[in-house]
Amino acid sequence: MTIGLFILAILIQLAVVLAIFLMSLSRVNGSIVAIITVIVTAIISPWSLILGIPLALLCLVLLIAPIRQALITKPVYKALGSAMPSMSDTEREALDAGTSWWEKELFMGAPNWDTFANYPYPQLSEEEQSFIDNEVEELCAMLDEWKIHHEDQDLSPQAWRFIKDKGFLGLIIPKEYGGLQFTSYAQSRVMSKIASRSPTAAVSCMVPNSLGPGELLMHYGTEAQKQHWLPGLAKGDEIPCFGLTGPEAGSDAGAIPDTGVVCYGMHDGQQTLGLRMNFSKRWITLAPIATVVGLAFKMYDPEGLLGDTNKVDYGITCALVPANHDGVIIGPRHYPSGSPFMNGTVDGKDVFIPLDYIIGGVENAGRGWRMLMECLGVGRGISLPALSTSAGGMTYLSVGAFAKVREQFKISVGKFEGVQDATSRIASQTYMLEAFRHLVTCGLNQGGTPSVMTAMAKYYATETMRDLVNDGMDVVGGRAIQMGPRNFLAIPYQAIPVSITVEGANILTRSLMIFGQGAMRCHPYLFDELQLLQSEDKAGALKEFDVLFFKHLGYTFNRGAKAFIAGYVGGSSDAPSFADTFTLPYYKHINRLSASFALTADMALGLLAGDLKRKEMLSGRLADIHSHLFIATAVLQFYQHGSKSAAERLHAEVALQDSLYTVQEAFMSLFANFPNRMAANVVSFVTFPSGRIFTPASDELKCKLGDVFMDDFEANPFRDYLKTMVYYNTEPDDSTGRMEHAYQTLLAVEPLWQKFKKAEHKGSFEGLTFEDHVVHASQSGEITEEEAEQLIKYNALRFDSLLTDVFDEHLLQAQERINPHSLENAVHKLTDYAQIKHDAQARDDTLAKDDRLTDSGETAAGIHEQTGDANPDHGYQIDGDVKMVDEQHTTAEIKAQTDFSAVSPEAKALNPRHRDAESTLSERMSYNHSLRTHGSDELKTSDSNAIADIVTEGKPDKSLSDSAKLKDGIRREEDDKA
């Protein structure tokens, strides 16, 4: 009894502590409740004080401020202060740059699903939809990426003129300045559609609408600067570029060596206060054709000419300089991998500019890094994800069509499980990219500059693009690796490294930026604590830190308690009002993993402190967790606004399982590699008490999705949807339309095609070629004349869609490919194999005869076993049975047997009459051979004409059999004469 009461008392104490954490009671209230619990449980069992006394003492320490600060706050403040590295103004601005949105809810471990449900789903306005349906469609029709890539190394003059005239460079500029003022979602849609036709054109249009002077001017420029530059940028009269990176500054753009020193100089004939600039920029998109150059540089005022003699180093600053300004050198072009968009160098030595060239004026001197961080964030969230989403959509459409049309081993290659392993990834990842694009642009449409969300978008969209295009290359195989105008995958494949590298290299983005900025922007207390740790007023900072630190602890324990409970009973049932039976379990999983992430992130931040900045692999895993939680919610939102069909559910299910499994594995890898093993084991036990709970998509699920991947229309609404997201066409001579045209034709004739191919594979038709088989099937009545024509037409399209390009010996000019199966050429694919075979069998009397009469009048079956003829592609005759003389009984057999003993060869040879007959026979045989040769050609022509009637007009012609009889008759007549 005593032991039972002791256990009960201990369980009550633990339950109350857990409830305090779950209810997020304040420090004071929680301590009071805990002390009361200790007293009550001591009455139940005095032995419970073993745990109760330490708990009560801790509560007293938390309640008494001087003791609390002396024992906890001051030591923690000192330890963290020495552990945290010093932070420069540039780093502080970078961490503080941007805003937060839905990603903060997921970081904090308790997402508000009502907020999520109320986000306005991005839609196009009538004006935006019209622009995409008309101007963008027209531009895409002008673009030929093979010509751009391999011949012109630039867009055509007509395309450039159209881009400028129609406002493609001013999508983001307000209408009051002559721009189109499209939403973030509309910009993404425009860029996606252009990119589906030409990555080169897309990049050319992206830069002015993302990282360009226009974006900076709109947010930070003076009104005079806006009036001067924005109208020209909107109309395309001004072409912008922005110089940030250089030979010594890539990922560490804050280390740029370019300088601007405040001094006096001459400008427009007047002595003016300005900057003496020295800069060397590399890899600057649109630089070779730019008329205005944005520059990032470090600004110094050693003479105090700006009025503050104590401030020399102003930090990174941004200025806008005309490209033809004295001293500015627009250098030669670079050649970006896989996409020859305009890219080059910008240099300048001792270039003097007035101070009003600084974007925003002197007031913005030194604010350039913050400006760039926020504007880079918008570009990351729109431009590169749009390019990635476009590549996903085009890969889905083209590879899906190929997988259906291309047949090996008598079935479509998309039916093989090995291929479906890849195609199911293409399908689910494309679905994820579309979902990701919608949620990110939803956040951008609401304003703000959510730098963490856009960093996620940039990294995971471009990496996903890399994976799915690689899968597409594997599936399409030889058709994909041969370059030429017909190739629909190779150029996007070659251009992938550009997206991976620009606007923040992916390794840097994942390992440093996502969680590094995420912790600062999304954690409710961390950034303020960090500011207090580096404050010069230690006494005042300590007082504030005392309050924040214990709020932070309460937050951490609350998330830990939620994660612990969820580990045993599942996540919280909180979900948006629109959740259904399919999505509700996923919301519960996200609630659980979000709470686990909040606890794990706090463990990493608290124990590693400044070292976490160097533990980039751990930081990268935390980025994976945070990002894939965001991605999973994006998939759920996209599914909610989609068709909710069985096919779309398959896409969503595989995508969701992939994200949740990725999150789980990132947790496990982090725990396995965390330096503090005890802390890692404790948090691992709290968050995953039963071990792994998620598995990748099953083989069965992937096979189902692989089948759906090859469907269209009602069977796969998502594929139908993708056609509206890209430049979709079915032109048979177009690089992407060719495969789609063959695919759509197959869908129209698929029942007939499958029926015919099944019969063909069973050997139901005679002949060597596909055309032979079609004619045989038509003449035997197995298919109609109209069906024969449909088969011929589709086969020609199928064959043409699988052809790759050939070139001259110097690989300069693609050669025209002749399609031997086209309607006009199909007749030449006909052979006389079947007729020759029939004639040979008739002449040699080797046809199987079931009713042949024996000498006794009985019927015997004379069926011969087929040997060389078993393969219809071979032209061998059927072998007859060989009999000895004593086995030959019929009159015909005996008469046919020569009696050599009654013949005198020497007498025959000496007989002049016999010699004359032999000579005559040789001459006649020679003549007969000549006649057969010419006659055969004539008969082939006759046969071809007859079959052409069937192929081209669907009309059967009896001349085929008549011609065969005629040929046989000629041979017999010559034999008789001989």
Side-chain angles (χ1 to χ4, degrees), residues 440-680:
V440 170
T441 54
C442 175
L444 293 172
N445 280 350
Q446 292 186 289
T449 52
S451 54
V452 177
M453 177 186 74
T454 54
M456 291 177 181
K458 192 274 174 181
Y459 175 82
Y460 292 95
T462 55
E463 288 294 337
T464 300
M465 170 182 65
R466 170 152 58 182
D467 291 341
L468 67 84
V469 172
N470 276 335
D471 277 332
M473 292 289 291
D474 288 347
V475 173
V476 181
R479 174 71 171 84
I481 64 173
Q482 300 297 338
M483 293 294 293
R486 290 171 170 266
N487 197 311
F488 51 81
L489 269 180
I491 291 178
Y493 173 80
Q494 290 177 348
I496 286 172
V498 174
S499 298
I500 299 296
T501 304
V502 301
E503 295 195 21
N506 276 8
I507 291 177
L508 166 75
T509 302
R510 174 179 177 265
S511 60
L512 287 177
M513 293 183 60
I514 295 175
F515 184 74
Q517 283 194 320
M520 295 296 109
R521 300 308 310 155
C522 299
H523 197 286
Y525 307 110
L526 187 61
F527 184 75
D528 292 335
E529 288 173 329
L530 192 60
Q531 296 287 82
L532 292 172
L533 288 173
Q534 298 198 353
S535 173
E536 296 181 0
D537 180 10
K538 298 300 182 183
L542 183 63
K543 185 176 180 180
E544 292 184 49
F545 183 81
D546 181 59
V547 175
L548 274 179
F549 178 68
F550 284 98
K551 284 185 178 180
H552 187 162
L553 283 180
Y555 160 84
T556 302
F557 285 122
N558 171 260
R559 285 356 182 220
K562 286 186 174 182
F564 181 75
I565 295 296
Y568 288 95
V569 300
S572 165
S573 296
D574 291 343
S577 56
F578 52 68
D580 57 22
T581 54
F582 168 66
T583 59
L584 188 58
Y586 291 105
Y587 287 111
K588 293 186 69 174
H589 290 320
I590 292 170
N591 288 331
R592 172 183 178 173
L593 295 172
S594 178
S596 299
F597 174 62
L599 175 64
T600 306
D602 262 8
M603 173 192 72
L605 291 166
L607 296 179
L608 296 181
D611 284 342
L612 187 58
K613 184 178 181 180
R614 291 177 287 276
K615 295 289 185 181
E616 295 178 15
M617 293 184 187
L618 296 180
S619 179
R621 295 185 182 106
L622 290 166
D624 289 341
I625 296 170
H626 193 191
S627 300
H628 274 279
L629 287 174
F630 188 94
I631 288 170
T633 61
V635 172
L636 290 168
Q637 184 203 52
F638 189 66
Y639 174 80
Q640 174 61 32
H641 290 85
S643 67
K644 294 189 178 179
S645 62
E648 185 166 352
R649 181 174 297 186
L650 271 175
H651 288 79
E653 189 173 359
V654 175
L656 287 165
Q657 289 190 18
D658 179 67
S659 283
L660 295 182
Y661 182 74
T662 301
V663 168
Q664 171 186 268
E665 295 307 298
F667 269 117
M668 296 302 175
S669 295
L670 185 139
F671 295 146
N673 291 278
F674 198 76
N676 189 321
R677 301 304 309 140
M678 179 180 292

Side-chain angles (χ1 to χ4, degrees), residues 247-326:
E248 302 294 337
S251 296
D252 184 14
I256 54 177
D258 311 290
T259 60
V261 179
V262 180
C263 63
Y264 281 97
M266 298 298 296
H267 179 71
D268 290 340
Q270 296 182 349
Q271 189 79 355
T272 306
L273 185 62
L275 296 167
R276 182 71 59 189
M277 305 275 294
N278 286 280
F279 51 87
S280 180
K281 304 294 185 180
R282 296 294 182 273
W283 317 309
I284 311 305
T285 301
L286 297 188
I289 59 171
T291 62
V292 56
V293 181
L295 291 172
F297 58 94
K298 290 183 176 177
M299 178 172 162
Y300 301 93
D301 183 15
E303 300 179 72
L305 298 177
L306 297 180
D308 187 350
T309 56
N310 295 321
K311 188 172 183 179
V312 175
D313 186 353
Y314 277 76
I316 295 177
T317 303
C318 295
L320 206 56
V321 182
N324 60 2
H325 191 80
D326 190 28

Side-chain angles (χ1 to χ4, degrees), residues 137 192-193 196 389-390 393-394 397 721-728:
E137 186 81 7
S192 279
K193 190 164 184 175
S196 70
T389 304
S390 169
M394 290 305 296
L397 294 171
Y721 163 86
L722 287 176
K723 299 173 192 175
T724 67
M725 297 290 110
V726 299
Y727 179 71
Y728 177 80

